[in-house]
Amino acid sequence: MRYDDRHTLPDKQLPYGVVVDLTNLSKNKVRKMANSELRCKSEFHGAVIQGDLEEQDPSILFPNIPNDASLLSLDIGGTLVKVVYLSRHNTTCMKEWTKELSDGVSSNCPILGGLLHFVKFETKNLDECIEFLQSEQVFLGASSDLCQSVGSRKSIRIKATGGGAYKFANVFSERLGVTFDKMDEIASVVVGANFLLQEIDHEAFTHMNGEKIFININHNDLFPYLLVNIGSGVSMIKVTGNGKFERVTGTHFGGGTIFGLARLLTECQSYDEFLELSQHGDNRALDLTVGDIYGELGYPKHNLSASAIASSFGKVNGKRKLTEYKIEDIAATLLRDFTYHIAQISYLVATLSGLKRIYFGGSYIRGHASTMDNISYGLNYWSKGQIEAVFLRHEGFLGGLGALLSNENIDVDDLIPCKFIKQLPSGISTVRGESQGVPHGNLSEKAGLHEEVERLRAEVERLQKDNTMLNDKLEKLKNNDD
Amino acid sequence: MRYDDRHTLPDKQLPYGVVVDLTNLSKNKVRKMANSELRCKSEFHGAVIQGDLEEQDPSILFPNIPNDASLLSLDIGGTLVKVVYLSRHNTTCMKEWTKELSDGVSSNCPILGGLLHFVKFETKNLDECIEFLQSEQVFLGASSDLCQSVGSRKSIRIKATGGGAYKFANVFSERLGVTFDKMDEIASVVVGANFLLQEIDHEAFTHMNGEKIFININHNDLFPYLLVNIGSGVSMIKVTGNGKFERVTGTHFGGGTIFGLARLLTECQSYDEFLELSQHGDNRALDLTVGDIYGELGYPKHNLSASAIASSFGKVNGKRKLTEYKIEDIAATLLRDFTYHIAQISYLVATLSGLKRIYFGGSYIRGHASTMDNISYGLNYWSKGQIEAVFLRHEGFLGGLGALLSNENIDVDDLIPCKFIKQLPSGISTVRGESQGVPHGNLSEKAGLHEEVERLRAEVERLQKDNTMLNDKLEKLKNNDD
């Protein structure tokens, strides 16, 4: 177990509306998420996830948001449009909120916050997204300008990222009269991930053999890490600090590949339908395993078990047509083999980049148990247990959230101080554990060099001391002579 | 250009039957290819490729082979059975051979050699392979025992490797009355590759933008290298010497994946048909490019051109059914995207293993121009021009050849000395160039550590000298005092 002090939350213990004591905010939490492109003036402290811990893309409560905030952002990718928008506390919200704060929980300031919502649409159905955005409710939260004058829509600027921010800017301008403030996609994803990992509890978790375990991240030891963002394609980003990152590489075999092939091979209509199909199939109907080639003993000499996949789709030999295969088996094969691939390449890139931690984000994870289990299994297999896959609940909204957090209308000075009393269900630790990595075997040469450097430095120091001592002695002897 | 002293052989210069002067064999050519499992007692010196330089899997002429050799080997993989067998020089062969040796070419000893042939069958059609092996001609070359007594087949042992050597041993025993000497697959592949790279001229070549360029390999600088064997799956083997290797990793996305998906999606009947289809299609009908997401300018900030593939099959959006896509486009997409994948993962593994050279083998290359061009392009792209893909003409027979070369019936002492006069067409250089690699940028940290170690060692040495000098001075001063 690489992440200490973790806690498991079985269903019966699921809390609703966890609130964190903001009085304990340490100074190191006050940090900037700025880089050359993005500037996050607001720190959005005290943000907490709403809903139960199993909820996918849960809303986030921001206790204090300045009045002039224009909080709506779009991340328009190749497959999906991710919308992040703020809804101000209306009466109903406030009632719920007040209810949550009962029993010893109180605030010592008026709550001028809101709920941040996360919604997605298929890029090919852009109309649905535009119709959604046209609803007053969304724009109400999105821009206070709009409340004052519907006729002033032309002046509304929306933070947008992803390729579609460039490609569809005209469509949004014509249909909604809004202008895009285009934010760099990779930079936005990094800002979003860093924010979630640094500020939001119950965001990061591992998922192995069906078990979801939330992890506590040591904020002093978050960096560096590899961020693997699984969208239509996959981007792999080395993150070394707030605003410090490099897109190391990517793979063109991403979610869009799985979905594209699934559409052709199974005629599924949605990715969720595909995922459902995959749960009822067996990849061994199409995958050629080591056992298929070597027999039931596998190929132990090179550590290849009989069940290991030797060749994805390698059992398809032309004797059966596509229609003679079960679509469930095809779906199971696609999901397993491409998630394994992503795990493998993530491991290789992380090791090559000297990184011990990998966080997975992106819309194609979908909080789907098998998807995450496969990635975890693959990463565990290839790293020989040295690296554990960690997922984020707002996996698909890293870019959208990052774009939103760089909203320049918000200044950190506008934030209203606010205090909540901690409300935690029993059994949940608030201790922030250390996220410790074990150097991987393949890095042993480098580790050896590091050791040699340390040894030599100590030797240099020792010799320098000796020299000083000898020089002193010489000096004394000379003085004695004089 | 990483391989110097290369020479291009355009079609008009193709020679037939290149023969190499064996009198110039340097001592370092006499080497062993032994490891814990395989022992190659015969060095098979003077072996030369027959046929023109464009021929795929050309026969290899072995000028001297002992009479008791039993030269037949099988490599039974998940998709293909590769047969390597020797045909003794019969009268016809001898006539051709004598003809080739005319015009100043002569031999000063009787040729007791043979031609090594390379044939493959689909594993699913094992009967075809068995029928082929039943032909007297194959067994004639394969075993002198058989010539003496057909009834003694039970005693015939055949070197066999690949998973099928285990899985189908009984079938071959029952049908042909032969017993398999099972050879380790990975070890055999390495023996085969090392033999070809060290002993056979005009074996290794690069293939970029349709241009095939034979390379000369500096035998003193062959190791280490990464051997990427593209079979049904892909094995990646770090080779550090004769008999010294480690299967680093592999990918389950191999030739079997391309063919399997091609069969399902295009209903092609053979891999060659698939390759032909792929030449008339356009992957952009199904692949989502960076340009599709970002527009014609691409995403220059992260060095992603508009034509780069963002998501393989990512353009398949459900509006068109499988039958509405051109099978040529599907084939082109499969070939391009999976060969790029193999190139990428090869680059990552090579860099992680500190290797600067990658040799590609395996049956799924097929000497196919686009396949090799794609791998070369991909490797060049990901390595930023630092690593060049090198291919082998006997790509699919590395395992079979390696198994055969470990034939324990042959002893190196049995080899008959033989001399041929060099016969080379004009324009072909015989200079063996150096294969130089440039360290990759990602290794700079390690390089930096090495430098630091060197610097510190020098500092330690300097300080030790100082100490010695100071101690001497002290000693002298003390002596003076005494």
Side-chain angles (χ1 to χ4, degrees):
Chain A
M1 300 272 263
R2 288 196 41 248
Y3 296 87
D4 299 331
D5 302 310
R6 61 182 59 198
H7 46 264
T8 313
L9 286 171
D11 283 4
K12 58 184 175 184
Q13 282 188 309
L14 292 179
Y16 183 85
V18 177
V19 185
V20 173
D21 182 359
L22 298 186
T23 56
N24 286 336
L25 278 179
S26 64
K27 279 192 178 174
N28 70 41
K29 283 196 79 176
V30 183
R31 58 182 77 81
K32 296 290 179 189
M33 290 183 213
N35 60 48
S36 58
E37 275 247 328
L38 293 177
R39 181 154 185 83
C40 170
K41 289 185 180 176
S42 166
E43 301 296 333
F44 294 94
H45 284 320
V48 290
I49 284 179
Q50 295 290 289
D52 70 45
L53 288 181
E54 291 303 309
E55 198 176 304
Q56 187 62 19
D57 307 325
S59 298
I60 295 180
L61 174 79
F62 284 84
N64 43 73
I65 295 287
N67 273 338
D68 61 346
S70 174
L71 290 177
L72 166 66
S73 69
L74 302 176
D75 176 5
I76 310 174
T79 312
L80 295 172
V81 183
K82 282 77 69 177
V83 180
V84 182
Y85 72 97
L86 181 87
S87 71
R88 297 277 172 188
H89 292 309
N90 57 24
T91 319
T92 322
C93 285
M94 282 303 286
K95 268 187 191 165
E96 281 178 15
W97 178 237
T98 311
K99 189 165 164 281
E100 283 162 23
L101 293 178
S102 63
D103 299 329
V105 178
S106 65
S107 70
N108 64 357
C109 71
I111 295 163
L112 300 172
L115 272 176
L116 208 58
H117 301 273
F118 303 87
V119 189
K120 52 194 167 194
F121 303 87
E122 284 192 62
T123 306
K124 65 169 182 163
N125 301 329
L126 208 59
D127 280 351
E128 284 181 21
C129 174
I130 288 171
E131 283 162 24
F132 176 80
L133 293 175
Q134 274 172 329
S135 75
E136 285 305 309
Q137 196 179 12
V138 174
F139 272 107
L140 184 70
S143 170
S144 53
D145 296 344
L146 193 68
C147 303
Q148 290 153 11
S149 162
V150 176
S152 68
R153 275 190 186 176
K154 281 280 178 206
S155 68
I156 297 174
R157 301 185 70 84
I158 295 176
K159 303 287 169 194
T161 188
Y166 297 81
K167 204 178 168 192
F168 298 116
N170 287 344
V171 178
F172 279 81
S173 172
E174 286 164 18
R175 298 280 302 275
L176 290 172
V178 295
T179 308
F180 281 169
D181 280 338
K182 299 178 189 74
M183 317 304 290
D184 181 73
E185 180 178 354
I186 302 291
S188 297
V189 163
V190 171
V191 169
N194 279 348
F195 173 79
L196 291 168
L197 291 169
Q198 291 173 319
E199 299 293 338
I200 306 294
D201 281 342
H202 306 108
E203 175 67 33
F205 59 94
T206 62
H207 207 289
M208 188 71 130
N209 301 321
E211 191 186 27
K212 180 179 188 173
I213 301 177
F214 283 93
I215 61 164
N216 290 315
I217 291 162
N218 182 337
H219 293 193
N220 296 321
D221 191 28
L222 171 63
F223 306 111
Y225 67 86
L226 186 72
L227 179 59
V228 177
N229 202 45
I230 308 174
S232 304
V234 179
S235 279
M236 298 185 180
I237 309 154
K238 179 177 180 172
V239 184
T240 51
N242 284 314
K244 293 177 186 165
F245 63 90
E246 178 199 359
R247 184 186 185 276
V248 185
T249 188
T251 160
H252 51 288
F253 286 157
T257 313
I258 305 176
F259 196 14
L261 283 170
R263 275 170 157 150
L264 292 177
L265 293 168
T266 73
E267 296 193 356
C268 64
Q269 295 302 308
S270 71
Y271 195 70
D272 290 330
E273 182 191 341
F274 158 75
L275 289 176
E276 182 57 28
L277 282 174
S278 74
Q279 299 308 290
H280 305 286
D282 188 340
N283 69 303
R284 289 170 296 181
L286 296 102
D287 279 344
L288 189 75
T289 65
V290 172
D292 291 326
I293 305 175
Y294 272 90
E296 61 189 12
L297 295 178
Y299 194 7
K301 189 165 185 175
H302 296 284
N303 293 321
L304 293 167
S305 69
S307 64
I309 300 168
S311 173
S312 174
F313 286 91
K315 210 179 266 172
V316 178
N317 59 12
K319 287 181 181 165
R320 290 161 69 185
K321 285 189 172 180
L322 173 58
T323 49
E324 293 169 58
Y325 285 94
K326 281 174 64 185
I327 54 174
E328 291 85 354
D329 291 341
I330 293 172
T333 307
L334 285 172
L335 185 68
R336 183 178 293 258
D337 296 0
F338 280 91
T339 46
Y340 279 1
H341 157 72
I342 291 169
Q344 182 182 25
I345 213 159
S346 299
Y347 158 69
L348 291 171
V349 171
T351 309
L352 201 54
S353 305
L355 303 173
K356 304 165 201 164
R357 300 175 200 121
I358 309 182
Y359 295 98
F360 289 87
S363 296
Y364 275 96
I365 298 176
R366 299 276 168 118
H368 185 250
S370 292
T371 299
M372 294 186 287
D373 276 355
N374 287 347
I375 291 173
S376 299
Y377 177 87
L379 193 55
N380 182 67
Y381 173 84
W382 274 293
S383 74
K384 297 185 175 69
Q386 298 302 301
I387 305 181
E388 203 172 31
V390 179
F391 304 93
L392 297 171
R393 289 175 75 189
H394 292 90
E395 51 185 31
F397 293 91
L398 306 184
L401 185 60
L404 180 138
L405 289 174
S406 66
N407 194 315
E408 294 185 359
N409 291 336
I410 299 174
D411 195 289
V412 68
D413 301 329
D414 293 339
L415 289 173
I416 301 159
C418 189
K419 187 193 169 200
F420 295 108
I421 305 298
K422 187 157 49 181
Q423 180 203 45
L424 287 173
S426 62
I428 297 186
S429 159
T430 55
V431 180
R432 297 195 178 277
E434 289 215 357
S435 166
Q436 293 163 338
V438 183
H440 187 262
N442 282 338
L443 294 171
S444 60
E445 193 189 344
K446 213 161 80 182
L449 285 170
H450 274 296
E451 275 176 24
E452 182 67 359
V453 165
E454 286 311 307
R455 193 189 66 75
L456 286 165
R457 280 185 183 152
E459 182 69 4
V460 165
E461 199 175 334
R462 190 186 65 77
L463 286 165
Q464 281 171 338
K465 277 184 189 163
D466 280 1
N467 276 14
T468 309
M469 188 191 68
L470 288 167
N471 271 317
D472 285 350
K473 277 189 187 173
L474 269 176
E475 208 62 34
K476 276 183 193 167
L477 280 172
K478 278 181 187 168
N479 288 341
N480 287 349
D481 284 348
D482 299 337
Chain B
M1 301 273 264
R2 288 196 40 246
Y3 296 87
D4 299 330
D5 302 310
R6 61 182 58 199
H7 46 264
T8 313
L9 286 170
D11 282 4
K12 57 184 176 183
Q13 282 187 309
L14 292 179
Y16 183 86
V18 177
V19 185
V20 173
D21 183 358
L22 298 186
T23 56
N24 286 336
L25 278 178
S26 64
K27 280 191 178 174
N28 71 41
K29 284 196 78 174
V30 183
R31 59 182 76 82
K32 296 288 180 191
M33 290 184 214
N35 59 49
S36 58
E37 276 248 328
L38 293 177
R39 180 153 186 84
C40 170
K41 290 185 179 176
S42 165
E43 300 298 331
F44 295 94
H45 283 321
V48 289
I49 284 178
Q50 295 289 288
D52 69 44
L53 288 181
E54 291 303 310
E55 199 176 304
Q56 186 62 19
D57 306 325
S59 298
I60 295 180
L61 174 79
F62 284 84
N64 43 72
I65 295 287
N67 273 337
D68 62 347
S70 175
L71 290 178
L72 167 66
S73 69
L74 302 176
D75 176 5
I76 311 175
T79 312
L80 295 172
V81 183
K82 283 77 69 177
V83 181
V84 182
Y85 72 97
L86 181 87
S87 70
R88 298 276 174 190
H89 292 309
N90 58 24
T91 320
T92 323
C93 285
M94 283 302 287
K95 268 187 191 165
E96 281 179 14
W97 178 237
T98 312
K99 189 165 164 283
E100 284 163 22
L101 294 178
S102 62
D103 299 330
V105 179
S106 66
S107 70
N108 63 358
C109 72
I111 295 164
L112 299 172
L115 272 177
L116 208 59
H117 301 273
F118 303 87
V119 190
K120 53 193 166 193
F121 303 87
E122 284 191 63
T123 306
K124 64 170 183 163
N125 301 329
L126 207 60
D127 280 351
E128 284 181 22
C129 174
I130 288 171
E131 282 162 24
F132 177 80
L133 293 175
Q134 274 171 328
S135 75
E136 284 305 309
Q137 197 179 13
V138 173
F139 273 107
L140 184 70
S143 169
S144 53
D145 297 343
L146 193 68
C147 302
Q148 291 154 13
S149 163
V150 176
S152 68
R153 275 191 186 174
K154 281 282 178 205
S155 68
I156 297 174
R157 301 184 70 84
I158 294 176
K159 303 286 169 194
T161 188
Y166 297 81
K167 202 177 168 192
F168 299 116
N170 287 344
V171 178
F172 280 82
S173 172
E174 286 164 18
R175 297 281 302 276
L176 290 172
V178 296
T179 309
F180 281 169
D181 280 338
K182 299 179 190 73
M183 318 303 291
D184 180 74
E185 181 179 353
I186 302 291
S188 297
V189 164
V190 171
V191 169
N194 279 348
F195 173 79
L196 291 168
L197 290 169
Q198 291 173 319
E199 299 294 338
I200 306 295
D201 281 342
H202 305 109
E203 175 66 32
F205 60 94
T206 62
H207 206 289
M208 189 70 130
N209 301 322
E211 191 185 27
K212 180 179 188 173
I213 301 177
F214 283 94
I215 61 164
N216 291 314
I217 291 162
N218 182 337
H219 293 193
N220 296 321
D221 191 27
L222 172 62
F223 306 111
Y225 67 86
L226 185 72
L227 180 59
V228 177
N229 202 46
I230 308 174
S232 304
V234 180
S235 279
M236 298 186 180
I237 309 155
K238 179 177 181 172
V239 185
T240 51
N242 284 313
K244 292 177 187 165
F245 63 90
E246 178 200 358
R247 184 186 184 277
V248 185
T249 189
T251 160
H252 51 288
F253 286 157
T257 313
I258 304 175
F259 196 13
L261 283 170
R263 275 170 157 150
L264 293 177
L265 293 168
T266 73
E267 296 194 356
C268 64
Q269 295 301 308
S270 72
Y271 195 70
D272 289 330
E273 182 191 341
F274 158 74
L275 289 176
E276 182 57 28
L277 281 174
S278 74
Q279 300 308 290
H280 305 286
D282 187 340
N283 70 303
R284 289 170 296 181
L286 295 102
D287 279 345
L288 189 75
T289 64
V290 172
D292 291 326
I293 305 175
Y294 272 90
E296 61 189 12
L297 295 178
Y299 193 7
K301 188 165 186 175
H302 296 284
N303 293 320
L304 293 167
S305 69
S307 64
I309 300 168
S311 174
S312 175
F313 286 91
K315 210 180 267 173
V316 178
N317 59 12
K319 287 181 182 165
R320 290 161 68 185
K321 285 190 172 181
L322 173 58
T323 49
E324 293 169 59
Y325 285 94
K326 281 174 65 183
I327 55 174
E328 291 85 353
D329 291 341
I330 293 172
T333 306
L334 285 172
L335 185 68
R336 183 179 293 258
D337 296 359
F338 280 91
T339 46
Y340 278 1
H341 157 71
I342 291 169
Q344 182 183 25
I345 211 160
S346 299
Y347 158 70
L348 290 171
V349 171
T351 309
L352 201 53
S353 305
L355 303 173
K356 303 164 200 163
R357 300 175 200 120
I358 309 182
Y359 295 98
F360 289 87
S363 296
Y364 276 96
I365 298 176
R366 300 276 167 116
H368 185 250
S370 292
T371 299
M372 294 186 287
D373 276 355
N374 288 347
I375 292 174
S376 299
Y377 176 86
L379 193 55
N380 182 68
Y381 173 83
W382 274 293
S383 74
K384 296 185 175 69
Q386 298 302 299
I387 306 181
E388 202 171 33
V390 180
F391 304 92
L392 297 170
R393 288 175 75 189
H394 293 89
E395 51 186 30
F397 292 91
L398 306 184
L401 185 60
L404 181 138
L405 289 174
S406 67
N407 194 315
E408 294 185 358
N409 292 335
I410 299 173
D411 195 288
V412 67
D413 302 328
D414 294 338
L415 289 173
I416 302 159
C418 188
K419 186 194 169 199
F420 296 107
I421 305 297
K422 187 156 49 182
Q423 180 204 44
L424 288 173
S426 63
I428 297 185
S429 158
T430 56
V431 180
R432 297 193 178 279
E434 289 214 358
S435 166
Q436 293 163 337
V438 183
H440 188 264
N442 282 338
L443 294 171
S444 60
E445 193 189 346
K446 212 160 81 182
L449 285 170
H450 273 296
E451 275 176 25
E452 182 67 359
V453 165
E454 286 311 307
R455 193 189 65 75
L456 286 166
R457 280 183 185 154
E459 182 69 4
V460 165
E461 199 175 333
R462 190 187 65 77
L463 286 165
Q464 281 171 337
K465 276 184 189 163
D466 280 1
N467 274 15
T468 310
M469 189 192 68
L470 287 167
N471 271 317
D472 285 350
K473 276 190 187 172
L474 268 176
E475 209 61 33
K476 276 183 193 166
L477 280 172
K478 278 180 187 169
N479 289 341
N480 286 350
D481 284 349
D482 299 336

